Amino acid sequence: MSSAAEQEAVAGHQATGNGRQAAAVNGARRAAPPPAVPARPGAPTPLGARFRVGPDGVAGTNFALWAGGAEGVELCLFDERGKESRVRLAELTHEIWHGFVPGALPGQRYGYRVHGRWDPWTGARWNPAKLLLDPYARAVDGDFGLPPEVYGHVRDWPQQHVADTVRDDRDSASYVPKGVVVHDDDDWADDRRPKTPWADSVIYELHVKGFTRLHPDIPEELRGTYAGLAHPAAIEHLVRLGVTAVELLPVHQFAHEDHLLRRGLRNYWGYNSIGYFAPHAGYAASGTTGQQVGEFKRMVRALHAAGIEVILDVVYNHTAEAGELGPTLSLKGIDNRGYYRLQDDPRRYADYTGCGNTLHVVQPQVLRLITDSLRYWVTEMGVDGFRFDLAAALARSMHDVDMLSPFLAVIAQDPVLRRVKLIAEPWDVGSGGYQVGAFPPLWTEWNDRYRGAVRDFWRHALPDVREMGYRLSGSSDLYAWGGRRPYASVNFITAHDGFTLRDLVSYERKHNEANGEGNRDGTDDNRAWNCGAEGETDDEGVRALRRRQLRNLLTTLLLSTGVPMLVAGDELGRTQGGNNNAYCQDNEIGWVDWGLLRDPGWKELSALTSRLIELRHRHPVLRRRAFFSGRAQTADGLRDLAWFTPRATEMTEQDWYAPAATLGMYLSGRDIPGRDEHGDQILDDSFLAVLHAGEEPVSFVLPGPPWAERYEVVVDTSLEEQAEAPGVEHPAGTEITVPARAVLLLRVAG
């Protein structure tokens, strides 16, 4: 049916008996309008609600909302009982509606009603019956449920193909959270940012709630909160591990999807943002009428005091309002056409995210919203960087991904943002969205090529070792252009999305039945090997092999050039029972099980992880700031990087293309480019790493001069307890036996 025909059909339904449902929904008697509150003109900047004292000494709040194309804006104020008062914002400056309300103090709850045309066929979806969250609200009070009243259209209209065009006039104010006025009272003068260089960074991805919810040494009332993450017991584990930064899964205010609520589930990960300035209220122990802001800041301070940076996983590519059949919570009701990418048929949304909508970052007001939010979290909330979910969607100009896009250009020149850590998830779900290696030099990237290669190597599924060589040495094939450095590659084997590390060696198939989607959700490309049995088993041989594989994977990650990223609980043997898409599992499936530390086997894995990170911190040869040259730097022919076969011969081109399960990598500590802070040459030990993924032991001859005279074993992943490994020495030229499926790290002695 064409748009014109659909319009005519809907009009007919509403004008005849077939429109009885719309009449029942929209024809109820309206309550008397709330009392009006006078407002002074105020100022159009800054956007949002800002408490201040006026020139006459009267305290109040300035409210400013960009609503391009709107015909009118009402500010709605709510008292403790939920009684609503309305303020007509009569001042309009450059499409910003604004006013100063005397007596509106911190803690004041508020929202907006925006008036305009209801014409979905042209993308116009204004509906003043819907209370809207301020996009600049810095605190949010209340939960998002999704009853029919929060939809701008009649959600249950019998003809669903035109349901989005039938306006729902029921008031949504009782069913949606409100923004909260927050007082700015923090200058961060006592905070000391760690400012860890990229090359020295070790990232630890964690969920604020999931990391602390079951921790026995955190008080019950603080578990699952920002205060819980700031607790000494939580920070002690991070310090003991040696990580330099936590990457927090989304902490912007988010909403739960309707399909999850209908199944009795919730959005656990939080990739469904609706408030880009507000810390998610559900993670606050101290209160939700502004207290969450101070609690978040105290968490950041505590982590900084321990030398740990805070990186936020941010979702600026889409919002919780979904597509045309989604709820009207904020941007959709403020200016649908101004905030979202629409298709040629303006009723429909362009969806490069798989979540129903995509923010139109080319639009100046959207770009301003995002950059204002980013600067706020840096300057006023103290964070040190961002990981951008589906960053390729943000880099799209009109349609295609464009590395000269307005978003990337603005970030590159911004004096605040260009100085913090910026991590791209370099893909989206649209055509041409896979952009690994393509982001400009200011950015680092999640390197999924690394993830795939390491998983395939240790399940012995690589046709040769070429890919592994690139990934171990910093992925120069992807990043050695335009001044990029090895730390442009964020190396990871697991992330929140997919199997945990333990499940990677315990399952080959996903087991997502608890998600209620018939096990259809989640990837089927797991590149996993279960070591001979699917799931948990009592077979001690299989269990021992799995623990060895975990040691192999962790050792590979932490010896690789680039920036390693661990996932919370992987060092403890955390399992999700084979669920590779636990986005809706706000329960023991998704939470870290700290009881695993009582198991000697998992405690040893945690100790090995800490030891490997400490080794990395101690040795600059393992965290290089420039790519290897592979060329001889001295007369003796010693190079900064060399690759060896088990026969102690340097690898030839033929060797790189031949099937192999063993790879020897020599890292020279004599040829590290750059100088230290005193201007002196950087010198370090040299190392030989031997990675063997074969199911049988292999003989390996240790290379002789000029590479080494003798070697000392530093790590042997075939051993359950690594304390047994150090101290064993071998003369160069010795033929040693590398156990099946193991990593040996040897230091050049003397």
Side-chain angles (χ1 to χ4, degrees):
M1 186 183 291
S2 68
S3 294
E6 287 173 345
Q7 292 185 54
E8 184 177 349
V10 172
H13 285 312
Q14 292 177 315
T16 66
N18 291 333
R20 289 172 187 153
Q21 179 172 349
V25 169
N26 297 327
R29 178 177 295 179
R30 302 285 183 84
V37 175
R40 299 177 184 176
T45 58
L47 290 169
R50 292 282 176 155
F51 171 73
R52 62 180 175 84
V53 177
D56 55 0
V58 176
T61 298
N62 192 83
F63 295 89
L65 176 74
W66 181 91
E71 297 171 2
V73 172
E74 291 177 296
L75 167 68
C76 305
L77 305 176
F78 295 86
D79 65 16
E80 296 81 359
R81 299 183 303 277
K83 182 181 178 182
E84 178 183 354
S85 301
R86 296 187 186 179
V87 182
R88 178 174 170 266
L89 298 183
E91 302 296 326
L92 179 62
T93 305
H94 303 311
E95 299 185 313
I96 296 172
W97 302 79
H98 54 91
F100 178 80
V101 181
L105 305 179
Q108 173 68 61
R109 299 187 306 146
Y110 72 100
Y112 289 106
R113 298 180 187 275
V114 181
H115 297 258
R117 293 182 305 112
W118 175 264
D119 188 10
W121 291 273
T122 64
R125 293 183 179 272
W126 284 287
N127 185 344
K130 307 306 167 183
L131 186 76
L132 306 174
L133 183 68
D134 179 5
Y136 280 72
R138 289 177 294 155
V140 175
D141 181 47
D143 287 328
F144 279 102
L146 292 178
E149 288 83 357
V150 305
Y151 290 75
H153 65 281
V154 180
R155 186 183 70 176
D156 301 322
W157 184 255
Q159 294 169 310
Q160 280 291 294
H161 68 289
V162 292
D164 68 290
T165 68
V166 184
R167 194 174 79 173
D168 186 316
D169 289 332
R170 288 175 294 186
D171 195 317
S172 69
S174 300
Y175 306 96
V176 293
K178 281 73 177 176
V180 180
V181 176
V182 175
H183 183 33
D184 300 310
D185 59 353
D186 200 331
D187 62 6
W188 289 92
D190 60 339
D191 182 61
R192 295 293 179 267
R193 294 178 184 262
K195 297 182 180 179
T196 307
W198 259 126
D200 300 338
S201 297
V202 177
I203 298 173
Y204 190 76
E205 187 194 45
L206 66 82
H207 188 287
V208 168
K209 182 175 183 179
F211 184 71
T212 60
R213 182 63 183 84
L214 298 177
H215 200 300
D217 297 328
I218 297 175
E220 177 69 32
E221 66 273 13
L222 301 183
R223 295 177 191 173
T225 69
Y226 306 118
L229 184 53
H231 190 273
I235 292 178
E236 179 194 8
H237 181 76
L238 300 172
V239 171
R240 185 169 61 247
L241 269 183
V243 298
T244 68
V246 290
E247 182 176 302
L248 306 182
L249 267 68
V251 295
H252 287 166
Q253 185 69 42
F254 61 86
H256 306 289
E257 294 90 332
D258 180 66
H259 69 93
L260 292 178
L261 295 173
R262 288 172 185 257
R263 297 201 300 270
L265 298 170
R266 295 164 61 85
N267 187 314
Y268 170 56
W269 287 348
Y271 291 91
N272 206 37
S273 298
I274 196 62
Y276 290 132
F277 290 76
H280 186 64
Y283 301 154
S286 53
T288 62
T289 54
Q291 299 93 334
Q292 61 265 53
V293 177
E295 185 176 331
F296 185 93
K297 291 178 180 180
R298 291 189 292 274
M299 176 197 73
V300 173
R301 272 191 173 85
L303 289 163
H304 282 179
I308 298 169
E309 294 184 303
V310 178
I311 298 171
L312 302 188
D313 196 336
V314 290
V315 188
Y316 294 112
N317 54 76
H318 76 280
T319 75
E321 293 185 299
E324 60 271 13
L325 295 177
T328 297
L329 308 174
S330 181
L331 306 182
K332 185 181 289 186
I334 295 171
D335 187 348
N336 185 56
R337 296 176 298 188
Y339 278 110
Y340 293 115
R341 290 179 180 267
L342 303 180
Q343 297 183 25
D344 292 337
D345 175 1
R347 273 181 61 194
R348 315 297 183 192
Y349 293 77
D351 183 8
Y352 297 112
T353 66
C355 300
N357 64 52
T358 306
L359 281 177
H360 201 350
V361 181
V362 173
Q363 297 280 16
Q365 65 276 4
V366 180
L367 194 56
R368 179 180 180 182
L369 171 67
I370 294 172
T371 53
D372 283 353
S373 168
L374 292 169
R375 281 189 293 268
Y376 172 77
W377 286 96
V378 174
T379 60
E380 298 192 41
M381 301 295 275
V383 307
D384 306 285
F386 306 93
R387 178 266 187 188
F388 292 81
D389 180 65
L390 300 182
L394 298 173
R396 291 183 181 270
S397 289
M398 296 312 295
H399 299 288
D400 296 332
V401 177
D402 178 6
M403 291 304 159
L404 297 175
S405 67
F407 172 74
L408 295 178
V410 167
I411 295 292
Q413 60 77 44
D414 189 283
V416 172
L417 302 179
R418 69 187 314 275
R419 300 169 69 115
V420 302
K421 288 183 165 65
L422 301 172
I423 306 170
E425 183 183 35
W427 51 78
D428 64 20
V429 302
S431 175
Y434 186 77
Q435 295 289 324
V436 172
F439 274 72
L442 188 63
W443 291 74
T444 64
E445 301 176 16
W446 270 23
N447 185 355
D448 71 328
R449 293 275 298 275
Y450 180 93
R451 173 180 60 185
V454 173
R455 288 187 178 195
D456 282 346
F457 178 82
W458 284 112
R459 67 188 183 109
H460 202 3
L462 286 177
D464 51 53
V465 291
R466 285 176 296 155
E467 183 82 0
M468 195 64 174
Y470 275 122
R471 304 307 148 232
L472 290 171
S473 58
S475 296
S476 60
D477 58 328
L478 299 176
Y479 302 112
W481 63 272
R484 303 193 82 180
R485 299 297 184 92
Y487 47 77
S489 176
V490 175
N491 298 331
F492 67 105
I493 299 170
T494 57
H496 65 275
D497 188 3
F499 281 150
T500 67
L501 203 65
R502 177 176 171 182
D503 288 354
L504 188 66
V505 300
S506 304
Y507 298 88
E508 294 182 3
R509 302 182 303 278
K510 64 187 180 185
H511 297 267
N512 298 355
E513 289 80 8
N515 295 356
E517 300 177 37
N519 207 37
R520 295 184 300 273
D521 62 304
T523 183
D524 293 314
D525 182 22
N526 294 297
R527 304 192 184 194
W529 178 50
N530 62 21
C531 298
E534 184 72 2
E536 295 302 310
T537 178
D538 294 328
D539 187 319
E540 187 50 45
V542 171
R543 289 156 63 104
L545 177 56
R546 288 175 176 174
R547 291 194 296 271
R548 179 181 296 198
Q549 287 288 81
L550 291 178
R551 294 192 292 272
N552 291 334
L553 291 162
L554 285 168
T555 301
T556 302
L557 175 64
L558 291 165
L559 294 182
S560 298
T561 299
V563 179
M565 186 186 79
L566 299 160
V567 177
D570 274 355
E571 77 281 8
L572 308 177
R574 185 176 79 89
T575 178
Q576 293 178 169
N579 191 320
N580 74 352
N581 189 34
Y583 78 104
C584 56
Q585 297 301 323
D586 188 3
N587 50 45
E588 286 81 358
I589 293 175
W591 302 339
V592 173
D593 178 7
W594 293 95
L596 292 165
L597 280 175
R598 294 191 294 269
D599 184 315
W602 300 125
K603 189 173 183 179
E604 284 296 332
L605 185 69
S606 180
L608 173 63
T609 306
S610 179
R611 181 163 173 258
L612 289 166
I613 294 174
E614 195 274 334
L615 190 73
R616 184 180 183 90
H617 289 324
R618 195 167 69 244
H619 291 286
V621 72
L622 299 177
R623 42 187 174 83
R624 289 173 56 100
R625 288 163 167 75
F627 287 106
F628 296 97
S629 70
R631 296 187 296 270
Q633 305 293 325
T634 58
D636 60 11
L638 191 69
R639 293 188 295 282
D640 58 359
L641 174 68
W643 304 95
F644 289 94
T645 71
R647 303 179 302 279
T649 59
E650 290 191 64
M651 291 185 66
T652 65
E653 184 173 359
Q654 183 178 358
D655 291 324
W656 284 111
Y657 282 84
T662 310
L663 185 61
M665 178 177 66
Y666 183 95
L667 306 173
S668 172
R670 283 173 38 182
D671 303 293
I672 301 173
R675 294 181 293 174
D676 65 19
E677 60 186 5
H678 304 293
D680 298 326
Q681 181 184 358
I682 300 174
L683 296 174
D684 193 14
D685 292 329
S686 298
F687 290 91
L688 175 67
V690 181
L691 294 82
H692 175 54
E695 61 184 13
E696 298 295 335
V698 66
S699 295
F700 194 98
V701 179
L702 300 176
W707 310 103
E709 296 289 343
R710 65 184 190 277
Y711 297 86
E712 176 190 15
V713 177
V714 178
V715 175
D716 179 352
T717 63
S718 70
L719 303 175
E720 289 275 1
E721 298 183 11
Q722 291 302 302
E724 302 174 24
V728 178
E729 289 197 9
H730 300 285
T734 301
E735 183 176 314
I736 65 172
T737 298
V738 181
R741 299 191 177 93
V743 179
L744 293 185
L745 179 66
L746 304 102
R747 183 180 65 86
V748 173

